[in-house]
Amino acid sequence: MHLGRRIVDLRRSLRARDAMAAVPLVWIAAVVVIDVLAPPDIHLGPLLVAAPAITIGFGGPWLTGLVATLAVVAQVIVAVVRDRDKLISANHWAQIVALVIVGLSVVIFSVLRERRARELNQVRYVSETAQRVVLRPLPKHVGPLRVASIYLAAEAEAKIGGDLYAAVRTDSGTRLLVGDVRGKGMTSVGDAALLLGAFRAAAHRQATLAELAAFLDGSVCWSLTEPGEKEQAGETFITAALLDIPDEGSEVDMIDCGHPPPIVVRDGRVSKIDACQPAPPLGLGDLVHARYQVDTFTFGVGDLLLLYTDGVIEARNSTGAFYPLAKRIPAWSERHPDPFLHRLRRDLLDHVGGRLDDDAAMIAIERLPT
């Protein structure tokens, strides 16, 4: 199905390109006819330079060069027709030379632009590959859970940043991690990859949620002992929420390490799950001798659980107002994860005017009957 859709899209693109290619050709023909029929003191030849300028907007170097060549030929035809009784005038020679120079400049610019486009496509490919390796997409179904996730990167060309999430199956349920690395850039991506690797390696073991949190905190702290990382001690940390959702029952265990509280939507009502004793962010446990308190909340069949990073609730509009997530949800009719997140994404981007200042990750989970 996807292959057929791509073929259809490619055919549409080619037809649109062919239609666009006719525009500069019609322009050249129109300028030549009007210039030949115009009075002797009127010269429209300089308008031919618009043909290659138009072509560069949708065509590559070869098509742009062809149109530029046709424009020069057209200018020569105009000069020969209008100066049939004498040699080509100096004015027409100047127009021909100028058109040649402009045509070459446009072709060179087109070559450079195409090279830059190839480099950008390669960067995007590497970025998407890194995203698939580091931040694996969550499956649509995990045990009795229906899951949807969206990652919005603040950088225009970025696909991944410091926000992270992961899900791991255990013998009795599903463990989830959502987090946000302090800072931006490649350092935050490396810290996110470190934490995700540690979580995937340890979450399936028969350890309590508190032991898992302590292990993850230690993993982040140990990374600071690597060469070149000591100067970041006390500065690198990761806010995170760890959840243990059993397959049977409706009680969910949670440890909140300085992360925004989850939200449960039940029968149109919104409940924030605030931790009674939040733990410090991961990476700061050694500094404050963290003790991890497990909180429990109800997540039953038909409920919707929303996990998110602070890039959602700290998004500001043009007046500086934060995005009021908890106040927006009750007005929405969507209650399944995929349409719910698409509604949230659209509403969030509308609030900020289309561009976020910080990365934002959102995970919606629905418990299905077992």
Side-chain angles (χ1 to χ4, degrees), residues 100-113:
V100 170
I101 295 174
V102 171
L104 287 175
S105 301
V106 171
V107 171
I108 292 173
F109 177 78
S110 180
V111 171
L112 296 177
R113 187 191 65 171

Side-chain angles (χ1 to χ4, degrees), residues 208-229:
T208 66
L209 205 59
E211 291 172 338
L212 176 60
F215 174 79
L216 297 180
D217 178 77
S219 299
V220 177
C221 292
W222 294 333
S223 72
L224 300 179
T225 64
E226 296 294 325
E229 299 292 339

Side-chain angles (χ1 to χ4, degrees), residues 2-223:
H2 293 291
L3 179 59
R5 187 179 304 167
R6 290 181 179 179
I7 293 175
V8 171
D9 292 341
L10 179 59
R11 289 177 177 174
R12 290 177 179 174
S13 177
L14 292 175
R15 285 198 296 266
R17 183 173 178 177
D18 292 341
M20 290 295 296
V23 174
L25 300 180
V26 172
W27 179 266
I28 291 174
V31 171
V32 170
V33 172
I34 296 174
D35 198 5
V36 168
L37 300 178
D41 57 338
I42 296 178
H43 299 279
L44 301 180
L47 295 177
L48 290 171
V49 74
I54 294 173
T55 308
I56 197 175
F58 60 87
W62 287 104
L63 183 57
T64 303
L66 175 61
V67 172
T69 302
L70 293 176
V72 172
V73 172
Q75 181 60 62
V76 172
I77 293 174
V78 170
V80 170
V81 172
R82 298 197 65 170
D83 299 333
R84 66 171 64 94
D85 298 331
K86 57 180 183 293
L87 296 175
I88 297 177
S89 65
N91 181 43
H92 281 129
W93 273 117
Q95 294 180 32
I96 293 172
V97 172
L99 195 56
V100 170
I101 295 174
V102 171
L104 287 175
S105 301
V106 171
V107 171
I108 292 173
F109 177 78
S110 180
V111 171
L112 296 177
R113 187 191 65 171
E114 191 169 82
R115 183 181 303 172
R116 171 62 177 167
R118 288 197 299 268
E119 293 175 354
L120 183 59
N121 288 336
Q122 182 66 21
V123 171
R124 286 173 176 168
Y125 173 76
V126 172
S127 175
E128 291 172 357
T129 302
Q131 182 188 34
R132 288 192 295 268
V133 172
V134 176
L135 193 65
R136 302 171 190 169
L138 295 179
K140 295 296 184 181
H141 288 87
V142 184
L145 307 177
R146 180 184 292 158
V147 182
S149 61
I150 291 179
Y151 191 104
L152 298 177
E155 298 295 333
E157 299 300 335
K159 296 294 183 180
I160 186 173
D163 290 5
L164 56 99
Y165 50 75
V168 172
R169 288 287 295 164
T170 66
D171 292 340
S172 59
T174 302
R175 281 181 171 171
L176 286 163
L177 166 69
V178 58
D180 184 3
V181 181
R182 176 189 180 275
K184 298 180 180 181
M186 292 305 299
T187 301
S188 65
V189 175
D191 293 335
L194 169 73
L195 181 60
L196 287 170
F199 175 75
R200 291 169 181 144
H204 67 281
R205 298 175 182 172
Q206 298 301 321
T208 66
L209 205 59
E211 291 172 338
L212 176 60
F215 174 79
L216 297 180
D217 178 77
S219 299
V220 177
C221 292
W222 294 333
S223 72

Side-chain angles (χ1 to χ4, degrees), residues 306-334:
L306 176 64
L307 307 174
Y308 54 94
T309 58
D310 59 9
V312 176
I313 56 175
E314 294 181 359
R316 297 174 182 263
N317 61 10
S318 58
T319 65
F322 291 113
Y323 179 67
L325 175 62
K327 294 181 180 179
R328 297 292 183 97
I329 295 176
W332 301 343
S333 60
E334 294 83 358

Side-chain angles (χ1 to χ4, degrees), residues 251-308:
E251 298 298 315
V252 175
D253 292 335
M254 177 188 74
I255 292 180
D256 189 327
C257 300
H259 200 73
I263 288 177
V264 173
V265 183
R266 180 179 299 118
D267 298 327
R269 298 189 301 273
V270 175
S271 301
K272 280 188 177 181
I273 311 301
D274 293 305
C276 295
Q277 295 182 9
L282 301 177
L284 301 181
D286 286 350
L287 299 179
V288 297
H289 306 290
R291 299 180 63 183
Y292 297 100
Q293 175 70 38
V294 177
D295 293 280
T296 303
F297 64 91
T298 302
F299 175 48
V301 175
D303 293 349
L304 190 69
L305 174 63
L306 176 64
L307 307 174
Y308 54 94

